[in-house]
Amino acid sequence: MDVDELVAVDVHVHVHQDLDGHLTMDDELLDAASAYFKAEDPNPTVPEIAEQYRQRRMAAVVFTVDTELATGHPAVSNEGIAEAAAEHPDVLIPFASIDPARGVAGIRAARRLVTEYGVRGFKFHPSLQGFEPNDRRVYPLYEEIQSLGVPALFHTGQTGIGSGLRGGRGIRLRYSDPMLLDDVAVDFPDLTIIMAHPSVPWQDAAISVAQHKPNVYIDLSGWAPKYFPPQLVRAADTMLRHKVLFGSDFPLITPERWIRDFERLEIREEVRPLIMKENAVTALGLRHA
């Protein structure tokens, strides 16, 4: 990957469909999410994502979310995503997702995915996967990820998944309180932690954790920037200018839609390149890959 040729790095891109047409979630959840975000093309495959980002001159961090144990829906293969992404190393950065409830098998899978498949990080969704991030039963998995030297990306705040469905389909928002990640940042100081999304209704907590812990970043995915909490915009422009990352939540939100709104925010011109690319290059270690 030629980092200097890229105009941006999108650190939050979902793979909802594999090459065989298998979807990452059941139709009810995916349809509700697509309606929530008004997504036009909710299920592109890895090669289709690669081509779209190549045309944009952007790199993309791609991943699925392993919710099989929580929902009963078989997960899209981490190995399949990594192998497909390996065909497009100029624009794709593969992450994997492991439900912490997989225990020792999940820990072994994490090492294999990094050492044999070139996975560059791991995605967690506490609300969908049904766990508290600071539950010490999850710590052996974090220990493995930290030892592998790759980042962990955590969903924070509310979620469009299950929105409007009866009982929210059992998805509990409280598991995605960013303050739970403060414990993880303390106990794993060498683990790069990325808190995904504006963390509504806990935005101030997310800002505090990212400011206080040097190993914690915030990605700005999942919300059109015109809806960002004002304190997040101020922090991104000032004290967190080196800790905030561009992320779209593609395919639910396109980079074009996100950037159109971002250009209207009161962000200094010298800060914009940091958010769009340079902070991600640092957080993901792209110049040393």
mmCIF file of all heavy atoms in Angstrom, residues 12 21 59 78-79 94 110 129-130 133 138 146 150-151 163 170 182 199 204 208 218 236 249 256 262 268 281:
data_model
loop_
_atom_site.group_PDB
_atom_site.id
_atom_site.type_symbol
_atom_site.label_atom_id
_atom_site.label_comp_id
_atom_site.label_asym_id
_atom_site.label_seq_id
_atom_site.Cartn_x
_atom_site.Cartn_y
_atom_site.Cartn_z
ATOM 1 N N HIS A 12 -13.534 2.299 8.978
ATOM 2 C CA HIS A 12 -14.744 1.597 9.426
ATOM 3 C C HIS A 12 -15.630 1.236 8.239
ATOM 4 O O HIS A 12 -16.536 1.978 7.855
ATOM 5 C CB HIS A 12 -15.521 2.481 10.405
ATOM 6 C CG HIS A 12 -16.407 1.707 11.324
ATOM 7 N ND1 HIS A 12 -16.138 1.556 12.669
ATOM 8 C CD2 HIS A 12 -17.564 1.036 11.104
ATOM 9 C CE1 HIS A 12 -17.084 0.840 13.226
ATOM 10 N NE2 HIS A 12 -17.969 0.504 12.297
ATOM 11 N N GLY A 21 -22.702 -15.089 -1.313
ATOM 12 C CA GLY A 21 -24.007 -14.503 -1.056
ATOM 13 C C GLY A 21 -24.497 -14.645 0.367
ATOM 14 O O GLY A 21 -25.623 -14.221 0.690
ATOM 15 N N ALA A 59 -7.941 4.091 1.217
ATOM 16 C CA ALA A 59 -7.835 2.759 1.786
ATOM 17 C C ALA A 59 -9.029 2.534 2.703
ATOM 18 O O ALA A 59 -9.646 3.483 3.198
ATOM 19 C CB ALA A 59 -6.536 2.604 2.563
ATOM 20 N N ASN A 78 -14.072 -14.830 8.683
ATOM 21 C CA ASN A 78 -12.931 -13.921 8.789
ATOM 22 C C ASN A 78 -11.848 -14.289 7.775
ATOM 23 O O ASN A 78 -11.234 -13.420 7.154
ATOM 24 C CB ASN A 78 -12.336 -13.985 10.194
ATOM 25 C CG ASN A 78 -13.190 -13.312 11.246
ATOM 26 O OD1 ASN A 78 -13.634 -12.190 11.070
ATOM 27 N ND2 ASN A 78 -13.403 -14.010 12.350
ATOM 28 N N GLU A 79 -11.615 -15.590 7.627
ATOM 29 C CA GLU A 79 -10.597 -16.047 6.692
ATOM 30 C C GLU A 79 -10.960 -15.650 5.262
ATOM 31 O O GLU A 79 -10.082 -15.245 4.490
ATOM 32 C CB GLU A 79 -10.444 -17.567 6.799
ATOM 33 C CG GLU A 79 -9.816 -18.049 8.095
ATOM 34 C CD GLU A 79 -10.825 -18.195 9.232
ATOM 35 O OE1 GLU A 79 -12.010 -17.814 9.054
ATOM 36 O OE2 GLU A 79 -10.438 -18.682 10.308
ATOM 37 N N PRO A 94 -7.477 -5.744 6.169
ATOM 38 C CA PRO A 94 -8.440 -6.655 6.782
ATOM 39 C C PRO A 94 -8.366 -6.675 8.305
ATOM 40 O O PRO A 94 -7.288 -6.839 8.883
ATOM 41 C CB PRO A 94 -8.050 -8.008 6.201
ATOM 42 C CG PRO A 94 -6.580 -7.892 5.948
ATOM 43 C CD PRO A 94 -6.340 -6.458 5.557
ATOM 44 N N ALA A 110 -7.547 -15.922 16.875
ATOM 45 C CA ALA A 110 -6.965 -14.584 16.728
ATOM 46 C C ALA A 110 -5.513 -14.677 16.265
ATOM 47 O O ALA A 110 -5.094 -13.971 15.339
ATOM 48 C CB ALA A 110 -7.063 -13.817 18.041
ATOM 49 N N GLN A 129 -22.762 -8.440 20.493
ATOM 50 C CA GLN A 129 -22.166 -9.676 20.977
ATOM 51 C C GLN A 129 -22.537 -9.964 22.430
ATOM 52 O O GLN A 129 -22.278 -11.071 22.927
ATOM 53 C CB GLN A 129 -20.643 -9.620 20.801
ATOM 54 C CG GLN A 129 -20.238 -9.598 19.331
ATOM 55 C CD GLN A 129 -18.757 -9.323 19.123
ATOM 56 O OE1 GLN A 129 -18.170 -8.502 19.821
ATOM 57 N NE2 GLN A 129 -18.154 -9.997 18.160
ATOM 58 N N GLY A 130 -23.137 -8.992 23.109
ATOM 59 C CA GLY A 130 -23.671 -9.210 24.438
ATOM 60 C C GLY A 130 -22.633 -9.383 25.533
ATOM 61 O O GLY A 130 -22.699 -10.337 26.319
ATOM 62 N N PRO A 133 -17.191 -4.830 27.872
ATOM 63 C CA PRO A 133 -15.789 -4.851 27.446
ATOM 64 C C PRO A 133 -14.785 -5.021 28.583
ATOM 65 O O PRO A 133 -13.688 -5.527 28.356
ATOM 66 C CB PRO A 133 -15.613 -3.493 26.755
ATOM 67 C CG PRO A 133 -16.980 -3.141 26.281
ATOM 68 C CD PRO A 133 -17.918 -3.662 27.334
ATOM 69 N N VAL A 138 -12.922 -11.637 29.346
ATOM 70 C CA VAL A 138 -12.510 -11.305 27.983
ATOM 71 C C VAL A 138 -11.007 -10.996 27.927
ATOM 72 O O VAL A 138 -10.400 -11.004 26.858
ATOM 73 C CB VAL A 138 -13.325 -10.110 27.439
ATOM 74 C CG1 VAL A 138 -13.021 -9.848 25.973
ATOM 75 C CG2 VAL A 138 -14.815 -10.345 27.629
ATOM 76 N N GLN A 146 -3.075 -7.825 22.125
ATOM 77 C CA GLN A 146 -1.992 -6.907 22.478
ATOM 78 C C GLN A 146 -0.642 -7.519 22.118
ATOM 79 O O GLN A 146 0.241 -6.833 21.573
ATOM 80 C CB GLN A 146 -2.045 -6.576 23.970
ATOM 81 C CG GLN A 146 -0.943 -5.644 24.428
ATOM 82 C CD GLN A 146 -1.074 -5.265 25.897
ATOM 83 O OE1 GLN A 146 -1.470 -4.150 26.230
ATOM 84 N NE2 GLN A 146 -0.770 -6.187 26.795
ATOM 85 N N VAL A 150 -1.634 -5.619 17.227
ATOM 86 C CA VAL A 150 -2.639 -5.064 16.320
ATOM 87 C C VAL A 150 -3.737 -4.380 17.133
ATOM 88 O O VAL A 150 -3.930 -4.684 18.310
ATOM 89 C CB VAL A 150 -3.244 -6.157 15.406
ATOM 90 C CG1 VAL A 150 -2.154 -6.751 14.521
ATOM 91 C CG2 VAL A 150 -3.937 -7.237 16.217
ATOM 92 N N PRO A 151 -4.497 -3.456 16.519
ATOM 93 C CA PRO A 151 -5.503 -2.692 17.255
ATOM 94 C C PRO A 151 -6.789 -3.476 17.506
ATOM 95 O O PRO A 151 -7.088 -4.476 16.844
ATOM 96 C CB PRO A 151 -5.792 -1.497 16.331
ATOM 97 C CG PRO A 151 -4.746 -1.524 15.281
ATOM 98 C CD PRO A 151 -4.288 -2.929 15.167
ATOM 99 N N SER A 163 -32.620 -1.145 15.667
ATOM 100 C CA SER A 163 -33.391 0.062 15.943
ATOM 101 C C SER A 163 -34.825 -0.078 15.439
ATOM 102 O O SER A 163 -35.067 -0.430 14.285
ATOM 103 C CB SER A 163 -32.732 1.274 15.274
ATOM 104 O OG SER A 163 -33.486 2.442 15.489
ATOM 105 N N GLY A 170 -33.322 -7.475 21.526
ATOM 106 C CA GLY A 170 -32.520 -7.922 22.648
ATOM 107 C C GLY A 170 -31.164 -7.262 22.757
ATOM 108 O O GLY A 170 -30.354 -7.641 23.624
ATOM 109 N N ASP A 182 -12.312 2.425 29.455
ATOM 110 C CA ASP A 182 -11.260 3.040 30.243
ATOM 111 C C ASP A 182 -10.513 1.978 31.040
ATOM 112 O O ASP A 182 -9.279 2.013 31.143
ATOM 113 C CB ASP A 182 -11.862 4.093 31.180
ATOM 114 C CG ASP A 182 -10.796 4.905 31.893
ATOM 115 O OD1 ASP A 182 -9.982 5.561 31.207
ATOM 116 O OD2 ASP A 182 -10.773 4.885 33.142
ATOM 117 N N SER A 199 -20.153 8.704 20.508
ATOM 118 C CA SER A 199 -20.625 7.754 21.527
ATOM 119 C C SER A 199 -21.891 8.211 22.243
ATOM 120 O O SER A 199 -22.020 8.065 23.467
ATOM 121 C CB SER A 199 -19.513 7.516 22.548
ATOM 122 O OG SER A 199 -18.365 6.984 21.932
ATOM 123 N N ASP A 204 -19.269 12.793 26.160
ATOM 124 C CA ASP A 204 -18.268 13.398 27.035
ATOM 125 C C ASP A 204 -17.340 12.340 27.629
ATOM 126 O O ASP A 204 -16.141 12.579 27.802
ATOM 127 C CB ASP A 204 -18.946 14.192 28.153
ATOM 128 C CG ASP A 204 -19.617 15.455 27.647
ATOM 129 O OD1 ASP A 204 -19.217 15.955 26.577
ATOM 130 O OD2 ASP A 204 -20.544 15.951 28.320
ATOM 131 N N SER A 208 -13.242 12.131 27.213
ATOM 132 C CA SER A 208 -12.373 12.050 28.380
ATOM 133 C C SER A 208 -11.422 10.874 28.291
ATOM 134 O O SER A 208 -10.223 10.996 28.575
ATOM 135 C CB SER A 208 -13.227 11.937 29.661
ATOM 136 O OG SER A 208 -13.984 13.107 29.872
ATOM 137 N N ILE A 218 -10.629 7.767 18.641
ATOM 138 C CA ILE A 218 -12.054 7.802 18.312
ATOM 139 C C ILE A 218 -12.196 7.806 16.803
ATOM 140 O O ILE A 218 -11.532 8.592 16.116
ATOM 141 C CB ILE A 218 -12.733 9.069 18.875
ATOM 142 C CG1 ILE A 218 -12.754 9.051 20.395
ATOM 143 C CG2 ILE A 218 -14.157 9.221 18.336
ATOM 144 C CD1 ILE A 218 -13.287 10.349 21.016
ATOM 145 N N ALA A 236 -12.266 17.409 18.366
ATOM 146 C CA ALA A 236 -11.566 16.951 17.173
ATOM 147 C C ALA A 236 -10.692 18.054 16.587
ATOM 148 O O ALA A 236 -9.634 17.779 16.009
ATOM 149 C CB ALA A 236 -12.567 16.465 16.133
ATOM 150 N N ASP A 249 -18.602 4.066 7.999
ATOM 151 C CA ASP A 249 -19.601 3.021 8.249
ATOM 152 C C ASP A 249 -20.187 2.522 6.934
ATOM 153 O O ASP A 249 -21.309 2.024 6.893
ATOM 154 C CB ASP A 249 -20.727 3.482 9.171
ATOM 155 C CG ASP A 249 -21.144 2.393 10.164
ATOM 156 O OD1 ASP A 249 -20.509 1.328 10.183
ATOM 157 O OD2 ASP A 249 -22.119 2.606 10.919
ATOM 158 N N GLU A 256 -18.678 9.694 0.387
ATOM 159 C CA GLU A 256 -19.087 10.963 -0.233
ATOM 160 C C GLU A 256 -20.089 11.709 0.633
ATOM 161 O O GLU A 256 -19.989 12.928 0.816
ATOM 162 C CB GLU A 256 -19.680 10.702 -1.619
ATOM 163 C CG GLU A 256 -18.672 10.262 -2.658
ATOM 164 C CD GLU A 256 -18.267 8.813 -2.520
ATOM 165 O OE1 GLU A 256 -18.972 8.048 -1.804
ATOM 166 O OE2 GLU A 256 -17.241 8.424 -3.110
ATOM 167 N N PHE A 262 -18.730 16.752 6.431
ATOM 168 C CA PHE A 262 -17.505 17.081 7.160
ATOM 169 C C PHE A 262 -16.919 18.401 6.686
ATOM 170 O O PHE A 262 -16.374 19.182 7.478
ATOM 171 C CB PHE A 262 -16.495 15.954 6.986
ATOM 172 C CG PHE A 262 -15.196 16.161 7.722
ATOM 173 C CD1 PHE A 262 -15.156 16.162 9.107
ATOM 174 C CD2 PHE A 262 -14.009 16.341 7.019
ATOM 175 C CE1 PHE A 262 -13.956 16.348 9.789
ATOM 176 C CE2 PHE A 262 -12.807 16.516 7.684
ATOM 177 C CZ PHE A 262 -12.781 16.527 9.074
ATOM 178 N N ARG A 268 -10.383 23.342 11.536
ATOM 179 C CA ARG A 268 -9.302 24.077 10.880
ATOM 180 C C ARG A 268 -8.713 23.264 9.723
ATOM 181 O O ARG A 268 -8.643 22.039 9.780
ATOM 182 C CB ARG A 268 -8.205 24.405 11.897
ATOM 183 C CG ARG A 268 -8.589 25.484 12.904
ATOM 184 C CD ARG A 268 -7.546 25.601 13.987
ATOM 185 N NE ARG A 268 -7.490 24.383 14.801
ATOM 186 C CZ ARG A 268 -6.466 24.061 15.587
ATOM 187 N NH1 ARG A 268 -5.390 24.856 15.633
ATOM 188 N NH2 ARG A 268 -6.505 22.954 16.312
ATOM 189 N N VAL A 281 -2.942 6.489 9.814
ATOM 190 C CA VAL A 281 -1.633 5.938 9.449
ATOM 191 C C VAL A 281 -0.834 5.624 10.716
ATOM 192 O O VAL A 281 -0.202 4.569 10.823
ATOM 193 C CB VAL A 281 -0.871 6.928 8.542
ATOM 194 C CG1 VAL A 281 0.590 6.495 8.384
ATOM 195 C CG2 VAL A 281 -1.550 7.031 7.184
#
